[in-house]
């Protein structure tokens, strides 16, 4: 018999929570009742566009040229990777279907106890990577701008920038969903204008006749193409939090509209500004990258535009990291910590700030971004594949009350609290990804055997998705299978 969920997770009284931009959101993973649902699917476009008008995209685009690709080859890789934005779109519909966050929906895939481990390590790892990388970008650029103005302390200036930006980010995360949905449309518009103006000043520096110094062929070409694809793929594959942002939409909202708004919101700026990064790199010497792309970019711009760009980077950082902090705070609750969402958001922000300060004092933006994004796919690729397969097999039929039944005998208790199909698919998919991964510090045996062709994303996702779908059809699938 289904037992009543704990009070923290129980469906709230209609007056218990208010989703408004002017008041801090106290709701965490608690169910959103039908009477509290509001909004339209198209609102999600700007929510996802604002975080992706990013300096990080410029950095990744420049990396494709550094890998030795021609411009057209780099652009082809960008378009191919952008197709992966369909996956965050597909899983986003599970939020309004269940009326809760994605970190609770994944109980259907991993079991009650298995999901706690999944959220603790996979969800938090993904959140920590993006918190640190985007705060890192704003720290480097803000510190470089202040250095040009005479504030050149190599330690306290970047730390100070990080703390200020992190504080604003945490405040936005505390106000939560209502402020995010309302403010992000304005933030996206401002970011588009700033980065388009920056792109206009970059274009005269572009070498339109650019050819790679040593054109790649054969295995070397495929190695660079696939490594670039892996770096790019890590961004859309990391957004397993997309249900969190969509969960307030009315239950009747079509999943196809949610998928379209979410996918296009991420893909359009992703394509546009990563392509600008490719063009930027064609007009820069290798020596320019030694001082960091952030500094090289400021050198290309007139003095008045540098501060405007830094403001844009800070706005983008706040947009992305407020969303990440917001969803990670709910992940803490889903793990089982008896915390309300606002204290959980503060804890997430403090941890992310500490990691960023460590990175800002020990690495360059380009180095940190490339390595961390490549390693990210070991967990994000298989996790996304499993989520997509589950959504498609269940056809968005998630019962929020059943997901909160965390007692033995509940539908998603499975085998002693663990879903063998989900956990096995995640582990074996991650192993397959690692075996095929090619980075500067680690190359799996499959990558070495193929002369460092990186097949980590397609292989890892196929292994995880196929294994999960197959095991669900066996007795191991348990009572919770579709």
């Amino acid at each position: 018999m289904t037992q009543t969920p704990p009070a923290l997770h129980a469906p709230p009284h209609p007056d218990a929570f208010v989703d408004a931009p002017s008041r801090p959101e106290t709701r965490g993973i608690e169910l959103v009742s039908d009477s509290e649902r509001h909004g339209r699917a198209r609102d999600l476009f700007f929510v996802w566009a604002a975080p992706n008008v990013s300096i990080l995209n410029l950095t990744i685009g420049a990396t494709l040229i550094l890998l030795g690709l021609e411009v057209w080859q780099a652009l082809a890789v960008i378009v191919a990777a952008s197709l992966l934005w369909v996956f965050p779109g597909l899983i986003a519909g599970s939020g309004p279907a269940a009326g809760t966050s994605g970190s609770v929906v994944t109980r259907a895939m991993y079991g009650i106890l298995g999901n706690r481990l999944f959220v603790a390590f996979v969800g938090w790892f993904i959140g920590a990577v993006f918190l640190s990388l985007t705060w890192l970008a704003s720290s480097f650029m803000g510190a470089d701008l202040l250095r040009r103005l005479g504030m050149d302390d190599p330690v306290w200036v970047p730390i100070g920038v990080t703390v200020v930006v992190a504080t604003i980010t945490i405040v936005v995360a505390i106000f939560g969903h209502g402020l995010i949905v309302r403010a992000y449309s304005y933030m996206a518009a401002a970011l588009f204008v700033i980065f388009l103006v920056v792109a206009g000043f970059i274009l005269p520096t572009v070498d339109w006749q650019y050819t790679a110094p040593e054109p790649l062929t054969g295995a070397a070409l495929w190695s660079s193409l696939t490594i670039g694809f892996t770096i790019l793929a890590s961004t859309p594959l990391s957004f397993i939090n997309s249900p969190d942002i969509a969960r307030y939409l009315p239950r009747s909202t079509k999943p196809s509209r949610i998928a379209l708004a979410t996918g296009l919101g991420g893909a359009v700026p992703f394509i546009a500004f990563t392509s600008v990064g490719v063009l930027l790199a064609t007009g820069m010497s290798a020596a320019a990258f030694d001082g960091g792309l952030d500094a090289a970019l400021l050198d290309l711009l007139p003095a008045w535009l540098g501060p405007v760009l830094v403001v844009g980077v800070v706005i983008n950082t706040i947009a992305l990291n407020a969303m990440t902090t917001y969803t990670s705070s709910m992940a803490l609750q889903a793990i089982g910590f008896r915390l309300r969402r606002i204290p959980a958001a503060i804890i997430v922000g403090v941890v992310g700030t500490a990691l960023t300060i460590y990175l800002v004092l020990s690495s360059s933006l380009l180095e940190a971004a490339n390595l961390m994004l490549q390693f990210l796919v070991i967990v994000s690729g298989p996790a996304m594949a499993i989520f997509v397969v589950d959504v498609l097999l269940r056809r968005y039929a998630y019962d929020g009350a059943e997901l909160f039944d965390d007692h033995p005998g509940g539908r998603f208790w499975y085998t002693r609290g663990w879903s063998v199909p989900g956990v096995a698919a995640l582990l074996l998919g991650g192993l397959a990804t690692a075996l095929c991964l090619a980075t500067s510090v680690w190359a799996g045996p499959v990558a070495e055997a193929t002369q460092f062709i990186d097949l980590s994303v397609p292989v890892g996702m196929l292994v995880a998705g196929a294994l999960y779908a197959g095991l669900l059809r066996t007795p191991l699938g348990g009572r919770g299978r579709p």
Side-chain angles (χ1 to χ4, degrees):
M1 181 175 66
T2 301
Q3 301 184 41
T4 302
L8 174 64
H9 300 159
H13 185 276
D15 297 328
F17 301 102
V18 177
D19 182 44
S22 59
R23 294 179 61 180
E25 181 192 3
T26 55
R27 169 183 271 116
I29 59 176
E30 296 90 347
L31 293 176
V32 183
S33 66
D34 288 338
S35 63
E36 297 174 288
R37 305 294 188 95
H38 60 87
R40 301 159 298 180
R42 63 173 178 263
D43 297 336
L44 296 173
F45 176 86
F46 292 104
V47 172
W48 288 99
N52 286 286
V53 184
S54 171
I55 188 68
L56 193 59
N57 284 336
L58 294 180
T59 300
I60 297 171
T63 295
L64 299 178
I65 294 300
L66 293 179
L67 286 171
L69 299 179
E70 304 290 355
V71 171
W72 71 270
Q73 293 168 338
L75 296 179
V77 172
I78 293 169
V79 172
S82 71
L83 298 177
L84 298 178
W85 275 100
V86 70
F87 295 139
L90 284 172
I91 68 172
S94 66
T100 186
S101 72
S103 54
V104 175
V105 175
T106 48
R107 291 175 178 176
M109 289 142 244
Y110 303 105
I112 300 299
L113 300 182
N115 188 62
R116 291 178 183 176
L117 189 66
F118 168 77
V119 173
F121 287 96
V122 176
W124 262 65
F125 178 66
I126 291 174
V129 167
F130 274 90
L131 277 174
S132 58
L133 282 182
T134 48
W135 273 336
L136 193 64
S138 63
S139 297
F140 278 134
M141 293 205 71
D144 191 67
L145 177 63
L146 292 175
R147 178 185 59 79
R148 295 163 190 255
L149 298 176
M151 300 174 63
D152 57 359
D153 189 292
V155 174
W156 292 110
V157 169
I159 289 177
V161 174
T162 300
V163 170
V164 170
V165 176
T167 300
I168 299 172
T169 301
I170 295 170
V171 170
V172 175
I174 286 172
F175 276 78
H177 179 270
L179 180 60
I180 288 173
V181 172
R182 176 68 63 83
Y184 276 35
S185 58
Y186 299 104
M187 295 170 78
L191 288 167
F192 267 108
V193 171
I194 291 172
F195 277 83
L196 285 175
V197 171
V198 170
F201 280 91
I202 289 174
L203 288 178
T205 71
V206 173
D207 181 1
W208 298 103
Q209 305 300 319
Y210 176 84
T211 57
E214 298 182 11
L216 301 175
T217 59
L221 173 59
W222 282 105
S223 176
S224 290
L225 288 170
T226 54
I227 289 173
F229 179 82
T230 298
I231 295 172
L232 291 166
S234 63
T235 298
L237 294 180
S238 69
F239 285 115
I240 58 174
N241 62 353
S242 60
D244 301 30
I245 307 301
R247 75 191 195 282
Y248 277 96
L249 291 175
R251 196 182 302 272
S252 59
T253 308
K254 292 183 178 180
S256 58
R257 293 182 178 177
I258 296 173
L260 185 64
T262 300
L264 287 179
V268 170
F270 176 84
I271 293 172
F273 294 101
T274 309
S275 299
V276 171
V278 169
L279 296 177
L280 168 66
T282 64
M284 298 173 63
S285 65
F289 288 98
D290 293 338
L293 180 65
D294 46 323
L297 182 56
L298 288 174
D299 288 336
L300 292 175
L301 302 177
W304 65 268
L305 188 54
V308 176
L309 173 60
V310 173
V311 169
V313 171
V314 170
I315 292 174
N316 168 255
T317 298
I318 293 169
L320 178 54
N321 282 2
M323 179 189 290
T324 303
T325 304
Y326 174 68
T327 59
S328 294
S329 66
M330 288 183 281
L332 265 184
Q333 292 183 310
I335 292 170
F337 289 104
R338 298 301 176 183
L339 289 170
R340 294 295 179 183
R341 195 195 65 78
I342 291 176
I346 294 171
I347 292 172
V348 171
V350 170
V351 172
T353 302
L355 179 58
T356 305
I357 290 173
Y358 168 76
L359 288 173
V360 82
L361 298 178
S362 61
S363 61
S364 71
L365 176 60
L366 199 63
E367 175 188 21
N370 292 341
L371 278 178
M372 294 182 75
L373 291 175
Q374 280 182 278
F375 279 111
L376 186 63
V377 299
I378 294 177
V379 294
S380 63
M384 181 64 79
I386 291 168
F387 208 150
V388 169
V389 168
D390 197 79
V391 160
L392 295 178
L393 291 179
R394 295 181 194 275
R395 299 182 180 179
Y396 298 97
Y398 295 98
D399 187 308
E402 289 184 331
L403 287 166
F404 279 107
D405 181 4
D406 57 1
H407 297 83
R411 182 181 180 187
F412 300 111
W413 185 255
Y414 295 115
T415 305
R416 298 181 180 178
W418 298 76
S419 167
V420 175
V423 174
L426 182 67
L427 293 177
L428 293 177
L431 176 62
T433 305
L435 292 175
C436 298
L437 189 65
T439 76
S440 59
V441 298
W442 160 263
V446 174
E448 289 185 339
T450 58
Q451 299 184 55
F452 303 101
I453 294 176
D454 189 330
L455 301 174
S456 58
V457 170
V459 170
M461 294 188 72
L462 284 172
V463 168
L467 185 60
Y468 181 65
L471 289 176
L472 282 180
R473 289 171 168 78
T474 71
L476 295 172
R479 294 181 57 237
R481 64 188 177 193

